[in-house]
Amino acid sequence: MRSYEVRELVLEEMPTAVALWVSVFGVEERFFTSLLDADARGGDRSYGVFDSGQLVSSVHVFEREIRLRDLEPVKVGCIGSVSTLPDHRKLGYSGMLLEAAIAGMEEMGCVWSFLGTGVNDHYARYGWRTISTPSVSGSPRAIAEMQGEVLPLSDHTLQEMAPLWELTSMRPQAMLRPMQMWRSATHYRLGREGAEILGYRRDGKLTAYLATWRHEHGTTLVDAGWMPDAREDAEALVHTAAGRAHADGKARISFHLPQEGGLFEAFQAACSGLRPREDRAWMVRPVADRIGWADLAALHADPRGRRCELDDF
């Protein structure tokens, strides 16, 4: 008979958890530690199953603040790093940990919970429901003149971008991004291969930025910020991103930003042959009945909102 224990991990056990995540997911350690470092208030929790004293399965709850439709930020429990060693799978450990995480999120005061997965049926058993995340792609047009500049990734650049994000993140689904998050998780993601930051300056001051992923099949627009009187600068960056993709021979460019109250009109003008797409890899659930299903569905259907991929956990 197996002897196992399910409990919350203590801080000293987190390096062991990170080693487990690296082993299971096969990605570099900094992918995980950058997220742990973003926990500015120390609210994250991690749960594990110990089999004969060995950590064999883990679930992490990232505490984040995300805006509702009325723009009020509420505490959200983001489920990540769900991992079990191969020799310990199909023993019900993941389910035990998800139940522990749900109880933990209730104690933390989370209003709702969020996760990304390719095995939706598994999480549906524990109360999460799949949501639709729409996006649009198009064929980029050539432009006569590129505007703006490619910004170097540095702490100074991030400090310039952060206030612009604050100004344009007053929208549903926007995650609050403390400076500690910019310096850790956001910095890591903007340092990945193919990531590029375009910026527009007036009189030496950054007035708009646009973050993109440049990959084999095209370019994806993932994040943007601009001064209140500089929306045309941000729109110019959308055209520049499309023009750069066209010059690189990319067939498609994708818009993963809000489709209302943002830059969608500029994207439509910068592309032809627009095609809608739907991503169903994300799931949500209320926590302790602090929000109703109808309100949660309306939040994720609101065209003013869009989860920013720089805030993946």
Side-chain angles (χ1 to χ4, degrees), residues 25 30 108 126 179 220 245 281 295 302:
F25 294 106
R30 188 55 185 157
M108 293 160 65
Y126 301 94
M179 201 63 222
T220 304
D295 289 335
D302 195 316

Side-chain angles (χ1 to χ4, degrees), residues 70-114:
D70 63 3
L71 308 186
E72 177 190 0
V74 297
K75 191 180 295 185
V76 176
C78 303
I79 302 294
S81 303
V82 182
S83 50
T84 304
L85 292 175
D87 292 345
H88 297 267
R89 292 173 184 168
K90 299 188 183 301
L91 297 173
Y93 290 165
S94 173
M96 296 177 194
L97 291 173
L98 290 173
E99 290 173 345
I102 292 167
M105 289 188 291
E106 292 182 5
E107 293 177 3
M108 293 160 65
C110 295
V111 173
W112 57 281
S113 177
F114 191 47

Side-chain angles (χ1 to χ4, degrees), residues 59-70:
V59 168
H60 193 77
V61 180
F62 299 94
E63 180 187 286
R64 299 290 188 261
E65 286 188 286
I66 298 178
R67 296 189 188 279
L68 296 175
R69 296 187 73 201
D70 63 3

Side-chain angles (χ1 to χ4, degrees), residues 288-300:
D289 296 324
R290 294 179 178 129
I291 189 172
W293 277 112
D295 289 335
L296 200 51
L299 170 65
H300 290 89

Side-chain angles (χ1 to χ4, degrees), residues 65-193:
E65 286 188 286
I66 298 178
R67 296 189 188 279
L68 296 175
R69 296 187 73 201
D70 63 3
L71 308 186
E72 177 190 0
V74 297
K75 191 180 295 185
V76 176
C78 303
I79 302 294
S81 303
V82 182
S83 50
T84 304
L85 292 175
D87 292 345
H88 297 267
R89 292 173 184 168
K90 299 188 183 301
L91 297 173
Y93 290 165
S94 173
M96 296 177 194
L97 291 173
L98 290 173
E99 290 173 345
I102 292 167
M105 289 188 291
E106 292 182 5
E107 293 177 3
M108 293 160 65
C110 295
V111 173
W112 57 281
S113 177
F114 191 47
L115 62 84
T117 182
V119 286
N120 301 52
D121 289 348
H122 175 67
Y123 295 96
R125 298 186 202 122
Y126 301 94
W128 280 270
R129 294 182 188 176
T130 301
I131 57 172
S132 171
T133 305
S135 61
V136 179
S137 70
S139 299
R141 303 180 191 274
I143 62 173
E145 179 184 2
M146 304 289 182
Q147 300 186 61
E149 61 183 295
V150 178
L151 301 179
L153 178 58
S154 67
D155 286 344
H156 176 70
T157 297
L158 297 177
Q159 287 169 358
E160 287 187 297
M161 294 166 62
L164 302 187
W165 163 260
E166 290 295 327
L167 290 168
T168 50
S169 65
M170 295 297 293
R171 55 177 174 77
Q173 296 188 51
M175 184 179 292
L176 272 60
R177 200 183 288 168
M179 201 63 222
Q180 184 168 329
M181 182 178 291
W182 278 97
R183 295 191 181 105
S184 57
T186 310
H187 189 286
Y188 177 83
R189 278 150 184 75
L190 288 172
R192 62 182 277 189
E193 183 179 359

